[in-house]
Amino acid sequence: MGRLVLQAAAGCRSGWAQRAPASMWARGYSTEQNDATSGLPPAQGPLVGVKVLDLGQVVAGNFCGALLAYFGADVIKGRNRKCVTINLNVPEGRELVKRLSANVDVLVENFRPGVMEGWGLGPAHLRPDLIYTRISGYGQTGPRAPDPGYASVCEAYGGFRHLNGYPDRPPVRPNISLGDTLAGLHGAFGAVMALLHRNKLRQQQQPGASAAVGGQVVDAAISESVFNMEPQVLKTELGLTDAELEGLRAKGAI
């Protein structure tokens, strides 16, 4: 962990996968300029003009950044996004992240809580109006915050496995990273809500006031995202109903 490899892949909005020059966004870089020379159609959607630095890894963080890109955001990463390789284990790589983050609206990361702070890249180290979107297994605070978070475990912790499967067999895991994608979805939704809040604050400001307001930390946990989608878990814990494994059926659904 630490080497963030953001390489060209199917779906990248540009055809290059080089080490990003340190002045890339500092000199006003944008995907609109590159699209004009690449022959690709310009981005479209409600998030056009929003810039995102995606430091996500594996599934959850990547899915969050991809969702923002699907709706027009200008995202550095891969899969419908700009591609770059940054080594976060060296000072030069961390400095590049700082310079890029100074010119974006949203940062997405899903390292274990505390890792970004250890690199000097936590919310307190970056611009105050940044929407800092964090995805982890169990959230940024609490007794399990430092634990590694993988969907296979967090789905069980959030109650999904308790409800899924057959009565005579162990719980069944779907053949998709459901917990990761749910957390990515909650992270992207939180980032958009935070952007709307920041825009409203700026509209209410007096002329000449500083625009560096409205930054927020979006804290999306895999376990809580799963729990949020399963109200049946809460009903069972409160004794309002009995959890019965129904195999491929959804109890009470038409």
Side-chain angles (χ1 to χ4, degrees):
M1 188 158 86
R3 181 169 177 79
L4 186 66
V5 182
L6 317 182
Q7 298 177 340
C12 286
R13 296 187 62 231
S14 68
W16 58 273
Q18 309 173 25
R19 293 189 178 275
S23 59
M24 185 163 62
W25 264 341
R27 67 166 184 258
Y29 175 89
S30 72
T31 55
E32 285 80 5
Q33 294 171 348
N34 189 265
D35 288 344
T37 59
S38 68
L40 295 173
Q44 299 181 12
L47 297 182
V48 167
V50 173
K51 292 184 177 180
V52 179
L53 178 58
D54 182 355
L55 304 183
Q57 54 176 335
V58 195
V59 179
N62 285 323
F63 189 65
C64 177
L67 288 173
L68 297 173
Y70 291 159
F71 291 91
D74 191 355
V75 184
I76 286 280
K77 175 68 171 183
R79 185 181 178 184
N80 201 39
R81 293 161 279 179
K82 292 296 177 181
C83 307
V84 62
T85 299
I86 301 175
N87 186 349
L88 294 178
N89 280 322
V90 298
E92 294 82 1
R94 297 191 291 271
E95 181 61 27
L96 177 55
V97 169
K98 288 182 179 180
R99 298 183 69 172
L100 290 172
S101 67
N103 294 276
V104 301
D105 302 289
V106 179
L107 183 147
V108 177
E109 65 92 5
N110 66 320
F111 293 100
R112 281 186 297 107
V115 170
M116 291 291 283
E117 283 79 359
W119 282 326
L121 298 173
H125 300 103
L126 305 180
R127 50 188 285 199
D129 61 335
L130 184 66
I131 306 302
Y132 200 109
T133 305
R134 320 194 75 168
I135 302 173
S136 61
Y138 307 96
Q140 299 297 313
T141 60
R144 300 209 62 175
D147 294 351
Y150 292 92
S152 56
V153 178
C154 294
E155 287 171 5
Y157 192 81
F160 174 70
R161 302 293 180 85
H162 182 61
L163 301 177
N164 192 45
Y166 298 86
D168 59 340
R169 308 175 202 176
V172 175
R173 180 185 182 184
N175 197 25
I176 57 173
S177 293
L178 184 62
D180 284 322
T181 50
L182 282 175
L185 181 62
H186 280 77
F189 181 75
V192 172
M193 294 300 101
L195 284 169
L196 290 173
H197 177 72
R198 191 182 71 177
N199 290 343
K200 286 187 176 181
L201 287 179
R202 289 179 174 178
Q203 292 170 3
Q204 295 169 359
Q205 283 186 299
Q206 297 297 323
S210 172
V213 297
Q216 293 192 49
V217 174
V218 177
D219 182 0
I222 299 175
S223 56
E224 292 176 358
S225 298
V226 170
F227 181 80
N228 187 43
M229 304 300 291
E230 298 292 337
Q232 185 72 9
V233 175
L234 182 58
K235 292 180 180 179
T236 301
E237 292 300 317
L238 293 176
L240 302 178
T241 184
D242 294 327
E244 297 179 10
L245 297 179
E246 298 284 339
L248 298 178
R249 296 190 302 165
K251 184 178 180 181
I254 298 176

